[in-house]
């Protein structure tokens, strides 16, 4: 659950991985863009994958990627 994700995030390379949603952690070096959609904001990764960016994590995430 949530405790496991927090532990995993601590073990991953500090500053490289960041939480974007309660169910998602991404490598910030793979972020291509942040897009606003009808359902909220989505992060587009260099692989083409899209993941949600929740309001709860948005400010911290954009600060970490320099946005």
């Amino acid at each position: 659950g949530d405790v496991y994700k927090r532990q995993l995030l601590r073990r991953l390379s500090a500053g490289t991985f960041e939480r974007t949603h309660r169910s998602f952690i991404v490598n910030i070096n793979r972020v291509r863009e942040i897009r606003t959609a009808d359902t909220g904001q989505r992060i587009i990764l260099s692989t083409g994958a899209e993941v949600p960016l929740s309001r709860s994590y948005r400010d911290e995430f954009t600060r970490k990627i320099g946005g």
Side-chain angles (χ1 to χ4, degrees):
D2 199 52
V3 172
Y4 172 75
K5 285 185 208 104
R6 280 197 297 265
Q7 290 172 346
L8 178 63
L9 195 53
R10 277 196 293 270
R11 293 176 124 193
L12 294 171
S13 179
T16 302
F17 291 87
E18 190 64 36
R19 201 143 179 203
T20 65
H21 183 275
R22 64 183 176 161
S23 301
F24 293 88
I25 295 172
V26 300
N27 179 335
I28 62 173
N29 295 319
R30 302 289 184 203
V31 174
R32 189 176 357 152
E33 68 178 291
I34 299 175
R35 222 179 257 171
T36 301
D38 292 340
T39 56
Q41 290 188 305
R42 308 284 292 174
I43 296 168
I44 313 302
L45 302 175
S46 59
T47 62
E50 293 186 27
V51 296
L53 177 58
S54 73
R55 287 177 290 186
S56 302
Y57 296 100
R58 181 176 46 216
D59 290 344
E60 180 69 13
F61 184 82
T62 52
R63 186 182 68 73
K64 288 272 175 101
I65 65 167

